[in-house]
Amino acid sequence: MEVGFLGLGIMGKAIAMNLLRHGFKVTVWNRTLSKCDELVEHGASVAESPAAVVKKCKFTFTMLSDPSAALAVVFGKDGIVEHISGGKGYIDMSTVDAGTSSKISEVITKKGGYFLEAPVSGSKKPAEDGQLVILAAGEQALYEEVLPAFNVIGKKSFYLGQVGNGAKMKLVVNMIMGSMMNAFSEGLVLAGRSGLDPSVLLDVLDLGGIANPMFRLKGPTMIQGSHSPAFPLKHQQKDMRLALSLGDETAVSMPVAAAANEAFKKARSMGLGELDFSAVYETVKALEPPSQIS
Amino acid sequence: MEVGFLGLGIMGKAIAMNLLRHGFKVTVWNRTLSKCDELVEHGASVAESPAAVVKKCKFTFTMLSDPSAALAVVFGKDGIVEHISGGKGYIDMSTVDAGTSSKISEVITKKGGYFLEAPVSGSKKPAEDGQLVILAAGEQALYEEVLPAFNVIGKKSFYLGQVGNGAKMKLVVNMIMGSMMNAFSEGLVLAGRSGLDPSVLLDVLDLGGIANPMFRLKGPTMIQGSHSPAFPLKHQQKDMRLALSLGDETAVSMPVAAAANEAFKKARSMGLGELDFSAVYETVKALEPPSQIS
Amino acid sequence: MEVGFLGLGIMGKAIAMNLLRHGFKVTVWNRTLSKCDELVEHGASVAESPAAVVKKCKFTFTMLSDPSAALAVVFGKDGIVEHISGGKGYIDMSTVDAGTSSKISEVITKKGGYFLEAPVSGSKKPAEDGQLVILAAGEQALYEEVLPAFNVIGKKSFYLGQVGNGAKMKLVVNMIMGSMMNAFSEGLVLAGRSGLDPSVLLDVLDLGGIANPMFRLKGPTMIQGSHSPAFPLKHQQKDMRLALSLGDETAVSMPVAAAANEAFKKARSMGLGELDFSAVYETVKALEPPSQIS
Amino acid sequence: MEVGFLGLGIMGKAIAMNLLRHGFKVTVWNRTLSKCDELVEHGASVAESPAAVVKKCKFTFTMLSDPSAALAVVFGKDGIVEHISGGKGYIDMSTVDAGTSSKISEVITKKGGYFLEAPVSGSKKPAEDGQLVILAAGEQALYEEVLPAFNVIGKKSFYLGQVGNGAKMKLVVNMIMGSMMNAFSEGLVLAGRSGLDPSVLLDVLDLGGIANPMFRLKGPTMIQGSHSPAFPLKHQQKDMRLALSLGDETAVSMPVAAAANEAFKKARSMGLGELDFSAVYETVKALEPPSQIS
């Protein structure tokens, strides 16, 4: 199976490498061409533009960092739109908003191409290990055709229906995750302030019905006040906001998510937005008031 | 090792049976004596009162359903206090409040006995399988001595320091659990109302960083509106209230737990207090207003 | 002083009438021309389009119901842009979002005109009595020139600086109002459920430090479950959302407003969005769960 | 009319002085006897103990600072119980919890006396001016008899039914007040952070439907970061907690009050408990994180 791959950042490179390793023929493109070198060593071909990739390959995957980059490879000079045509498939794995997905979907479809949005759950390590979870939505026939690729990229892929549903599913998951991080932070601080050892709380939690990888991974560093950014707090707060906004459209009252969102905003106001989202823990701790209060 | 065991409810019976199975000599007592029969068949002796158990055994374990029962076996007629004395150990595994624990601890200690509170995390199945988690606090020497019994009862036991810490640890864990149940409920309803399939959300969650046994176990029945009580909502709400109260004493602001607590109260006001605590899910769904509103 | 006036809905008509009554020469226009009749009887002239009004008058006031209407009189056929020019002033009293205000401001300014946004606080009765509060922002020189008109329309006007500040000020006021309505609702229900007479609570509140016109006006009807719409709940909730969004941009954590917003959303999910915003009271009362829960 | 008066703190002294000024014969007692001097100059008699006051007077009023003081004058040496008897009335104006009121009510009634709890709304100035609001509950006949005194002490008195209702009414009022203070604080900070002048917000608020004495009084000093204690934050937070606890007993979910309570707790954790309850404003502002966070 021959596929194109656009975008060789941390995630994109890991995914493309996995495809190569499993026998796919891969033609890559990246804005900074030198990033293609390592993949070429492992057997990839290089094309000089997104348009050239699409011209050559029936299926093109993209993994870019943000909506503007995702739009640029489609609508920009030598972009996808120039060569997408009947029967070709375009699969965008970037995490973008519903509006961006819709715009891309519309133009691809109008030109006779097929479109899938396919954001993933999981970060660098699962990408390297082919253990991502893929949340695909859009053209179902295309989904069936590229399933062999998804099976290599991830441990599981889902087909979720119409374009936009992939992004929504990711928001719902991240909203639950954000509230859980707050619950966890409150528990850790309460334990410490009540004379219990927070690291023993971690052990107790890990043996019970709510044990989960996130508590296990982040608990020990949180206690030390270390929040090296894996998923920046400002992005987590943005996802909480978007999920609450989705709840506003659909009239779902979510008081716990709303309280969690305000805690993340408090963290931002304290200048912690660039740290890991576990830094919301710092908002629960006792804080010094500004000195001029009387 | 010879031990006494008071209280043969669902939990107590399972624990006592485990002790017998692993070669402990066990003398049992229960208010309704007939409940002792099955244990006698497996080799237990029976004593006619708590006092008689303590007279006979160096270590006596208790597992009762509430504070008043826990107090009755200590202070009531033929109660523990009549025969507790130098060197004897009393281990109360009931889940009671700090005040009850303190009262019992005080009288045992005054009579020369040793006391441990040892509430457990886990319900019927883990009790039968010897997979409980034991949160012990009080006399450390006693903890060391009865560790062989704890090792049979549970997969892990913790010694947490002074009396009261066992109960506090359980509160902190249950508080995190209650907030998580709310986050989960909000996510399930948001998914459904946004055109996503909630059961697919369960699958996605179970593959990611916040996968945990509680979501896995309760998700499918929640979606069906079935909340058969494993841990009644009114008890979960009581634990949220007590944890928030602990936070009040120690000046820990916990906005997410507070929002979750109000949702559990809303569920109580809807008459759902006797159902499982997963019934908080019903508060997130759209509700009919009273008909006379204009 | 000669002024134009566009938009003769409930508010616009009351304001224009006030201007006439105080000796202003007023040229009116309304989409449905018959609505001009009553004003003509009191001495107003009529023009056949917004463009015609602006051509004739140095200062033109507008009071329309929503952003699309506000944009239509400016950009539509025979709209303001066709005759706005050097030295002419355009004062938009409609309540619109910052984006709409900016668009209008830009085009007016580009054509050499002057622009003020001037949303008002107060509804029909204060409009008729000339007791509105005017929240003006934009061109300060224009504000000074039209002050005589503002003095007739309102009991007080404020100049708040750059375009957008009028809308923001109104959002902040409405946010405080929305949280207060929730606090009030919670208190009324708590009183009733605790064996106190809610109407006595109203009397007590009205004698103390938090006595205010809103509690006085709405309390008695709320207790009766009557929420005849003066300010529809869905609009109040929209303003809460916009205020929270403003807080998101500026990193202000507002947990009480967020909780209030979720209660308004709950009311919307119960189908109460068209009633008065006091209907949030119904979310605090005990609610029936869906019947199929087990 | 001859009355006794126990407790000559700030409030008690002002009330007793009012009674004297309006022609009541007053016999006073205070733990520190010297505090009686000023009242004696204005015509009061002095008795040497609570018991002596009750022996002499048909009606005895008490205004003490806390439950333990309120209990001491009843049950302590030379306390009320020694001379309360058939037909005598005891009116406790202290703000105490329901349990304390009940204990006092019980013993007074058992001895054949009559009891009223009568907490007041209002502080020093209204007390001096006879402008308090009296929230009386208990023996209705006694209420009717002492109404002439209440009419002098306050601008309005309420008879609220059974003992405990006075305290509950005060809690409900204070809960609404606490949530309003939070809403107000959030609005002030949001205004400032959004480029609006918070003192203009105060002017706008004071002209609208939610204008109230508390905003008018406290707004200007809050903006300056000055929170000189009129009603200490720790007491406000205690009242929020008790009101939420009342809501817990009666299954009333109050998410806005709960969020406000957590903000007051956050203020306490910042060391602001002794300042005025307006200091909750400081929790809304941006805060510095502890320096060791990474």
Side-chain angles (χ1 to χ4, degrees):
Chain A
M1 191 167 171
E2 177 148 16
V3 301
F5 205 99
L6 313 178
L8 299 173
I10 292 170
M11 294 294 286
K13 186 176 145 192
I15 294 171
M17 198 68 93
N18 252 326
L19 289 168
L20 283 169
R21 207 176 292 137
H22 287 82
F24 286 79
K25 289 187 177 174
V26 186
T27 300
V28 299
W29 171 88
N30 192 68
R31 183 148 302 167
T32 310
L33 269 174
S34 61
K35 287 211 175 170
C36 300
D37 296 351
E38 196 183 334
L39 286 145
V40 170
E41 283 170 32
H42 287 79
S45 310
V46 178
E48 58 191 2
S49 71
V53 173
V54 167
K55 190 172 179 184
K56 183 175 174 198
C57 307
K58 190 174 179 199
F59 305 117
T60 301
F61 293 79
T62 299
M63 177 54 103
L64 292 159
S65 59
D66 59 45
S68 66
L71 289 168
V73 298
V74 174
F75 296 97
K77 186 170 174 299
D78 296 323
I80 299 297
V81 291
E82 297 186 14
H83 281 293
I84 194 83
S85 59
K88 297 224 172 189
Y90 184 63
I91 303 100
D92 194 342
M93 308 186 79
S94 316
T95 292
V96 299
D97 58 292
T100 300
S101 256
S102 291
K103 263 189 220 163
I104 295 175
S105 172
E106 211 172 293
V107 73
I108 300 285
T109 309
K110 199 184 288 173
K111 298 261 181 176
Y114 298 116
F115 179 70
L116 268 188
E117 66 170 353
V120 298
S121 169
S123 54
K124 190 188 174 190
K125 188 72 170 46
E128 291 172 346
D129 299 346
Q131 295 292 307
L132 295 169
V133 176
I134 297 153
L135 306 173
E139 182 60 45
Q140 189 160 11
L142 176 55
Y143 174 77
E144 308 291 352
E145 285 193 282
V146 299
L147 206 45
F150 285 162
N151 287 342
V152 160
I153 292 167
K155 60 182 168 187
K156 175 84 180 168
S157 66
F158 293 91
Y159 175 73
L160 300 170
Q162 67 188 27
V163 170
N165 283 357
K168 283 179 190 174
M169 184 63 86
K170 207 175 162 184
L171 278 185
V172 174
V173 171
N174 281 6
M175 179 186 82
I176 297 174
M177 182 173 75
S179 293
M180 273 175 65
M181 179 51 85
N182 270 273
F184 185 46
S185 296
E186 291 179 359
L188 286 171
V189 175
L190 180 59
R193 215 76 86 74
S194 304
L196 303 172
D197 181 343
S199 58
V200 173
L201 172 60
L202 295 183
D203 292 339
V204 173
L205 286 170
D206 205 35
L207 290 159
I210 55 176
N212 66 83
M214 180 175 81
F215 288 3
R216 203 174 299 132
L217 180 70
K218 292 185 186 281
T221 46
M222 287 168 69
I223 293 173
Q224 292 157 29
S226 167
H227 308 286
S228 171
F231 184 41
L233 189 139
K234 66 180 183 183
H235 292 163
Q236 170 67 59
Q237 197 259 315
K238 187 197 65 188
D239 284 355
M240 294 300 289
R241 181 205 311 147
L242 292 174
L244 283 162
S245 178
L246 185 59
D248 203 315
E249 287 165 33
T250 52
V252 182
S253 176
M254 302 186 292
V256 166
N261 185 40
E262 295 307 314
F264 283 120
K265 280 167 62 183
K266 172 57 78 184
R268 270 180 54 214
S269 83
M270 290 164 66
L272 308 175
E274 306 293 337
L275 296 183
D276 191 65
F277 75 115
S278 67
V280 76
Y281 170 75
E282 303 300 330
T283 69
V284 188
K285 298 208 290 197
L287 297 164
E288 290 296 310
S291 56
Q292 76 282 7
I293 298 169
S294 60
Chain B
M1 191 167 171
E2 178 148 15
V3 300
F5 205 98
L6 312 179
L8 300 174
I10 292 170
M11 293 295 284
K13 187 175 143 189
I15 295 171
M17 199 68 92
N18 253 327
L19 289 169
L20 283 169
R21 209 176 291 138
H22 288 83
F24 286 78
K25 289 189 179 172
V26 186
T27 299
V28 299
W29 170 88
N30 193 66
R31 183 148 304 166
T32 309
L33 269 174
S34 61
K35 287 210 176 171
C36 300
D37 295 351
E38 197 183 335
L39 286 146
V40 169
E41 283 170 33
H42 287 78
S45 311
V46 179
E48 59 191 2
S49 70
V53 173
V54 168
K55 189 172 178 183
K56 184 174 172 196
C57 307
K58 190 172 180 199
F59 304 116
T60 300
F61 292 78
T62 299
M63 177 55 102
L64 292 159
S65 59
D66 58 45
S68 67
L71 289 167
V73 299
V74 174
F75 295 96
K77 186 170 174 299
D78 296 323
I80 299 298
V81 291
E82 296 187 13
H83 281 294
I84 193 83
S85 59
K88 298 222 171 191
Y90 184 64
I91 304 101
D92 194 343
M93 308 187 79
S94 317
T95 293
V96 299
D97 58 292
T100 299
S101 257
S102 291
K103 263 189 220 164
I104 295 174
S105 172
E106 209 171 296
V107 70
I108 301 285
T109 309
K110 198 185 288 174
K111 296 260 180 175
Y114 298 115
F115 178 72
L116 269 188
E117 65 170 354
V120 299
S121 170
S123 53
K124 191 188 174 190
K125 188 73 170 47
E128 289 172 347
D129 299 346
Q131 293 293 307
L132 296 168
V133 175
I134 296 153
L135 306 172
E139 182 60 44
Q140 188 160 11
L142 176 55
Y143 174 77
E144 310 290 355
E145 283 192 282
V146 298
L147 206 45
F150 284 161
N151 287 342
V152 161
I153 292 167
K155 61 182 170 188
K156 176 82 179 169
S157 67
F158 293 91
Y159 175 73
L160 301 170
Q162 68 189 26
V163 170
N165 282 359
K168 282 180 190 174
M169 184 61 86
K170 206 173 164 186
L171 279 185
V172 173
V173 171
N174 281 6
M175 179 187 81
I176 297 173
M177 182 172 75
S179 293
M180 275 175 65
M181 178 52 83
N182 271 274
F184 185 46
S185 296
E186 292 180 359
L188 285 171
V189 175
L190 180 60
R193 215 75 89 72
S194 304
L196 303 172
D197 181 343
S199 57
V200 173
L201 172 60
L202 295 183
D203 292 339
V204 174
L205 286 170
D206 205 36
L207 290 159
I210 55 174
N212 65 83
M214 181 175 78
F215 289 2
R216 201 173 301 133
L217 180 70
K218 292 185 188 281
T221 47
M222 287 168 68
I223 293 173
Q224 294 159 27
S226 167
H227 307 286
S228 171
F231 184 40
L233 189 140
K234 66 180 182 182
H235 292 163
Q236 170 67 59
Q237 196 259 315
K238 187 197 66 187
D239 284 356
M240 295 299 289
R241 180 205 312 147
L242 292 174
L244 283 162
S245 177
L246 185 59
D248 202 315
E249 286 164 34
T250 52
V252 181
S253 176
M254 301 185 293
V256 167
N261 185 40
E262 295 306 313
F264 283 120
K265 280 167 63 183
K266 172 56 80 184
R268 268 180 53 212
S269 82
M270 289 164 67
L272 308 175
E274 305 293 335
L275 296 182
D276 192 64
F277 75 114
S278 67
V280 76
Y281 171 75
E282 304 299 330
T283 68
V284 188
K285 299 209 289 199
L287 296 166
E288 290 295 310
S291 56
Q292 75 284 8
I293 299 170
S294 61
Chain C
M1 189 166 172
E2 178 149 14
V3 301
F5 204 99
L6 311 178
L8 298 173
I10 292 170
M11 294 294 286
K13 188 175 143 190
I15 294 170
M17 198 68 92
N18 252 328
L19 289 168
L20 284 167
R21 208 176 292 138
H22 287 84
F24 286 79
K25 288 188 180 174
V26 185
T27 299
V28 299
W29 171 88
N30 192 67
R31 183 149 301 169
T32 310
L33 269 173
S34 61
K35 286 211 176 170
C36 300
D37 294 354
E38 197 184 334
L39 287 146
V40 170
E41 282 170 34
H42 287 79
S45 310
V46 178
E48 57 192 5
S49 71
V53 173
V54 167
K55 189 173 181 185
K56 185 175 173 196
C57 307
K58 190 174 178 198
F59 304 116
T60 301
F61 292 79
T62 299
M63 177 54 103
L64 291 159
S65 58
D66 58 44
S68 67
L71 289 167
V73 300
V74 174
F75 296 96
K77 185 170 174 297
D78 296 323
I80 299 298
V81 290
E82 298 188 10
H83 280 294
I84 194 80
S85 60
K88 297 224 172 192
Y90 184 64
I91 303 100
D92 193 344
M93 308 186 79
S94 316
T95 292
V96 298
D97 57 293
T100 300
S101 257
S102 290
K103 266 188 217 164
I104 296 175
S105 173
E106 210 171 294
V107 72
I108 301 285
T109 308
K110 198 184 288 176
K111 298 260 179 176
Y114 299 115
F115 178 71
L116 266 188
E117 66 171 351
V120 299
S121 168
S123 54
K124 189 187 175 191
K125 188 71 171 48
E128 289 171 347
D129 299 346
Q131 294 293 305
L132 295 169
V133 175
I134 295 152
L135 307 173
E139 182 60 45
Q140 188 159 14
L142 176 55
Y143 174 77
E144 309 290 353
E145 284 193 283
V146 299
L147 206 43
F150 284 160
N151 287 341
V152 162
I153 292 166
K155 60 183 170 189
K156 177 80 180 170
S157 66
F158 294 89
Y159 175 73
L160 300 171
Q162 67 188 27
V163 170
N165 283 357
K168 283 180 191 174
M169 184 61 88
K170 208 176 160 182
L171 278 186
V172 174
V173 171
N174 281 6
M175 179 186 82
I176 298 174
M177 182 172 75
S179 293
M180 273 176 66
M181 177 51 83
N182 270 274
F184 186 45
S185 296
E186 292 180 358
L188 285 170
V189 174
L190 180 59
R193 214 77 86 76
S194 304
L196 303 171
D197 181 343
S199 58
V200 173
L201 172 60
L202 296 183
D203 292 340
V204 173
L205 286 170
D206 204 37
L207 289 159
I210 55 174
N212 66 83
M214 181 174 79
F215 288 2
R216 202 175 299 132
L217 180 69
K218 293 187 186 277
T221 47
M222 285 168 69
I223 294 174
Q224 293 157 30
S226 168
H227 307 286
S228 171
F231 183 41
L233 189 139
K234 66 180 183 183
H235 292 163
Q236 170 65 60
Q237 196 258 315
K238 186 197 64 187
D239 284 356
M240 294 300 290
R241 180 204 313 148
L242 292 172
L244 283 162
S245 175
L246 186 59
D248 202 316
E249 287 164 34
T250 53
V252 182
S253 175
M254 302 186 292
V256 167
N261 185 41
E262 295 306 313
F264 283 121
K265 279 167 63 184
K266 171 57 79 182
R268 269 180 56 213
S269 81
M270 290 165 65
L272 307 174
E274 305 293 335
L275 297 182
D276 192 65
F277 76 114
S278 66
V280 77
Y281 170 75
E282 304 300 330
T283 68
V284 188
K285 297 209 291 199
L287 296 165
E288 290 296 311
S291 54
Q292 75 284 9
I293 298 169
S294 60
Chain D
M1 190 165 171
E2 179 150 14
V3 301
F5 205 99
L6 313 179
L8 299 173
I10 293 170
M11 294 294 286
K13 188 176 144 190
I15 294 170
M17 198 68 94
N18 252 327
L19 288 167
L20 283 168
R21 209 177 289 137
H22 287 83
F24 287 78
K25 288 189 177 171
V26 185
T27 300
V28 299
W29 171 87
N30 193 65
R31 183 150 303 168
T32 311
L33 269 173
S34 61
K35 287 212 176 169
C36 300
D37 295 352
E38 197 182 334
L39 286 145
V40 169
E41 282 170 34
H42 287 78
S45 309
V46 178
E48 57 191 3
S49 71
V53 173
V54 167
K55 189 173 181 184
K56 185 175 173 194
C57 306
K58 190 173 179 198
F59 305 116
T60 301
F61 292 78
T62 299
M63 178 55 103
L64 292 160
S65 58
D66 59 44
S68 67
L71 289 168
V73 298
V74 174
F75 296 96
K77 187 170 173 298
D78 296 322
I80 299 298
V81 291
E82 296 188 11
H83 281 294
I84 194 80
S85 60
K88 297 224 170 191
Y90 184 65
I91 303 100
D92 193 343
M93 308 186 79
S94 316
T95 292
V96 297
D97 58 293
T100 300
S101 258
S102 290
K103 263 189 220 164
I104 296 175
S105 173
E106 208 171 296
V107 72
I108 300 285
T109 309
K110 198 185 287 176
K111 297 260 180 177
Y114 298 116
F115 178 71
L116 268 189
E117 65 170 352
V120 299
S121 167
S123 54
K124 191 187 175 191
K125 188 73 169 49
E128 289 171 347
D129 299 347
Q131 293 294 305
L132 295 169
V133 175
I134 296 152
L135 306 173
E139 181 61 42
Q140 188 160 13
L142 176 56
Y143 175 76
E144 308 291 354
E145 284 193 283
V146 299
L147 206 45
F150 284 160
N151 288 341
V152 161
I153 292 167
K155 60 181 170 186
K156 176 81 179 170
S157 66
F158 294 90
Y159 175 73
L160 300 171
Q162 66 189 29
V163 170
N165 283 358
K168 284 179 189 174
M169 184 62 87
K170 207 174 163 186
L171 279 185
V172 173
V173 171
N174 282 6
M175 179 187 81
I176 298 173
M177 182 171 77
S179 293
M180 276 175 63
M181 178 51 85
N182 271 274
F184 185 46
S185 296
E186 291 180 358
L188 286 170
V189 174
L190 180 60
R193 214 77 87 75
S194 304
L196 303 171
D197 181 342
S199 58
V200 174
L201 172 60
L202 294 183
D203 292 340
V204 173
L205 286 170
D206 205 36
L207 289 159
I210 55 174
N212 66 82
M214 181 175 79
F215 288 3
R216 202 174 299 133
L217 180 69
K218 293 186 186 279
T221 47
M222 285 167 70
I223 293 172
Q224 293 157 29
S226 167
H227 308 286
S228 169
F231 183 41
L233 189 139
K234 65 180 184 183
H235 292 163
Q236 171 66 60
Q237 197 259 315
K238 187 196 66 186
D239 284 357
M240 295 300 289
R241 180 205 313 150
L242 291 174
L244 282 162
S245 176
L246 185 58
D248 203 315
E249 287 165 33
T250 53
V252 182
S253 175
M254 301 186 293
V256 167
N261 184 40
E262 296 307 313
F264 283 121
K265 280 166 63 183
K266 172 57 78 181
R268 270 180 53 213
S269 81
M270 290 164 66
L272 307 175
E274 306 292 335
L275 296 182
D276 192 64
F277 75 114
S278 66
V280 76
Y281 171 76
E282 304 300 331
T283 67
V284 187
K285 297 208 291 199
L287 296 166
E288 290 295 312
S291 55
Q292 75 284 8
I293 298 170
S294 61

